[in-house]
Amino acid sequence: MNTTSPSTQYNLQVEINKISIYVYPITIILTITTNILNICVLCRRNLRLSSSTQYFLAFALSSILYTCEIPVMMFIRIRYGYIVTSSSVGCRLQTFMINIMPLFISIMLVFASIDRFFVSSSTVRMRNLSQVHIARRIIIITIILTVIYISPILLIYYFNSNMNQCISYSSTIAIIYLSSRIIFSYIIIPFAMAIFGFLIIRNIRNQIHRINPFAINPKQQNRRRYRRIENQLARMLILQVSAYLIFSTPAGVGYTLVTFIPSMNTVFVNQLRIIFSLWQQNIYFLTLFIYILSSKTYRQEFFNMFKLKHF
């Protein structure tokens, strides 16, 4: 039973639209600006040779592409009333982009976590798996596989002119596919991030006990410096993953409930999903501040960049 009156729903929608008109432009500008800065800093000499940096760069580029597509379209819809999904082609393409970009971004964080786990391992064989050329190949393969995996969206969704909505078919195959999408994105991926985050922290703690605090020869000093940078990258990643889980979980829960329980696809629930979507946008611009606060090396490179030295 829906206990929310139509007037309450209308007032909530009006307030959401008022807030969104200001929030979306701010998040769009912040996301594009901060990720361009991230790319510039991560491409500097002390950071670009790390394999994890490749995943951070992929995250930054994907965040810019996502922002230029989804939040911009949402702002146009609210501000000017133009609905991209109100056509057969627009419905399919927009739904495809909504699904593929966040999925690819989350997968990049998983691979970055795996890479940090390899780097922090005490086994030489495991550490050798963390290579820049391997990371680049994984990113290319992931792009191809993600496009293939999300491609069925183009067939599952369609524009229903009677309901004036972009909806999915209710066939068994469509339900199975959407269920797999939810399980993979909102259960397997967050679980993998949490597991590898725990393993990274454990490996770093073990490293601290293995390092000789009185090492003074140049070779050992360089090794310690390299380890310090790598540990800072791990700290950047752990905080970034934590922020991702905090800001993406509400939107994931809302999407899951609406998909598995069609009766919850009400006006009020959809309004809440818009709020969760606004909350989720913070993921894509907070990374710059997370990196600055968590890594001394990143912080130094960030300020040195504006001095235009040693790029």
Side-chain angles (χ1 to χ4, degrees):
M1 181 177 179
N2 185 8
T3 58
T4 307
S5 65
S7 60
T8 303
Q9 293 177 348
Y10 175 77
N11 291 334
L12 179 59
Q13 186 62 58
V14 170
E15 293 302 319
I16 291 174
N17 289 342
K18 288 181 180 178
I19 295 173
S20 299
I21 289 176
Y22 297 101
V23 171
Y24 274 121
I26 293 173
T27 56
I28 290 168
I29 294 171
L30 282 175
T31 301
I32 294 175
T33 303
T34 55
N35 281 286
I36 289 175
L37 290 173
N38 274 337
I39 293 171
C40 293
V41 177
L42 292 171
C43 286
R44 291 175 66 83
R45 184 169 53 191
N46 285 337
L47 295 171
R48 64 180 175 223
L49 298 180
S50 172
S51 52
S52 293
T53 299
Q54 312 307 310
Y55 299 112
F56 291 154
L57 287 171
F59 181 97
L61 287 170
S62 302
S63 298
I64 293 174
L65 293 175
Y66 171 84
T67 301
C68 291
E69 173 64 23
I70 310 305
V72 169
M73 291 299 101
M74 290 297 295
F75 174 74
I76 292 175
R77 177 177 182 174
I78 294 171
R79 181 65 178 84
Y80 301 103
Y82 178 73
I83 303 176
V84 178
T85 57
S86 59
S87 65
S88 179
V89 176
C91 168
R92 289 183 167 91
L93 289 179
Q94 187 75 354
T95 307
F96 177 81
M97 294 301 298
I98 289 174
N99 281 271
I100 193 171
M101 296 308 299
L103 178 61
F104 177 77
I105 288 171
S106 62
I107 292 175
M108 287 298 97
L109 289 181
V110 172
F111 277 122
S113 301
I114 296 173
D115 181 82
R116 287 296 89 193
F117 168 69
F118 288 153
V119 171
S120 60
S121 174
S122 60
T123 307
V124 175
R125 185 177 179 182
M126 295 279 282
R127 291 200 298 270
N128 288 337
L129 294 175
S130 177
Q131 303 290 336
V132 172
H133 69 275
I134 294 177
R136 289 173 178 172
R137 289 175 185 174
I138 289 175
I139 292 171
I140 294 173
I141 293 172
T142 302
I143 292 173
I144 296 171
L145 293 179
T146 305
V147 170
I148 294 173
Y149 178 64
I150 298 297
S151 293
I153 290 288
L154 298 172
L155 301 176
I156 290 175
Y157 279 83
Y158 71 100
F159 180 71
N160 189 314
S161 57
N162 295 325
M163 299 175 61
N164 197 31
Q165 287 183 347
C166 180
I167 60 176
S168 64
Y169 289 105
S170 57
S171 64
T172 303
I173 295 177
I175 293 173
I176 293 174
Y177 171 78
L178 292 175
S179 299
S180 72
R181 167 79 175 84
I182 290 172
I183 292 171
F184 184 64
S185 298
Y186 302 120
I187 297 178
I188 295 178
I189 287 179
F191 185 73
M193 289 180 183
I195 290 296
F196 280 102
F198 171 78
L199 293 175
I200 292 168
I201 294 173
R202 188 196 64 178
N203 286 349
I204 291 176
R205 286 180 176 177
N206 291 336
Q207 278 182 10
I208 294 174
H209 296 292
R210 292 196 304 266
I211 293 175
N212 180 9
F214 300 104
I216 56 175
N217 68 69
K219 184 177 180 180
Q220 290 173 321
Q221 289 290 354
N222 289 335
R223 187 179 302 168
R224 291 181 64 185
R225 180 176 176 274
Y226 170 79
R227 284 291 182 186
R228 185 166 59 251
I229 294 176
E230 293 296 329
N231 288 342
Q232 289 176 19
L233 288 170
R235 187 162 58 246
M236 289 161 58
L237 173 66
I238 291 171
L239 290 177
Q240 185 177 2
V241 167
S242 300
Y244 179 88
L245 295 175
I246 291 171
F247 288 105
S248 66
T249 298
V253 171
Y255 180 75
T256 302
L257 291 175
V258 169
T259 301
F260 286 119
I261 310 175
S263 60
M264 294 194 66
N265 191 12
T266 62
V267 174
F268 178 71
V269 172
N270 286 329
Q271 290 169 344
L272 289 179
R273 290 182 62 194
I274 295 174
I275 296 174
F276 294 155
S277 177
L278 290 172
W279 173 253
Q280 188 179 16
Q281 303 308 311
N282 293 306
I283 297 171
Y284 305 109
F285 68 81
L286 283 178
T287 51
L288 174 69
F289 306 103
I290 291 173
Y291 294 165
I292 290 175
L293 292 174
S294 60
S295 172
K296 181 179 179 181
T297 301
Y298 185 95
R299 190 162 54 247
Q300 290 174 341
E301 294 297 331
F302 177 80
F303 291 115
N304 287 339
M305 182 179 64
F306 293 99
K307 297 177 182 178
L308 301 178
K309 294 180 179 178
H310 309 298
F311 186 82

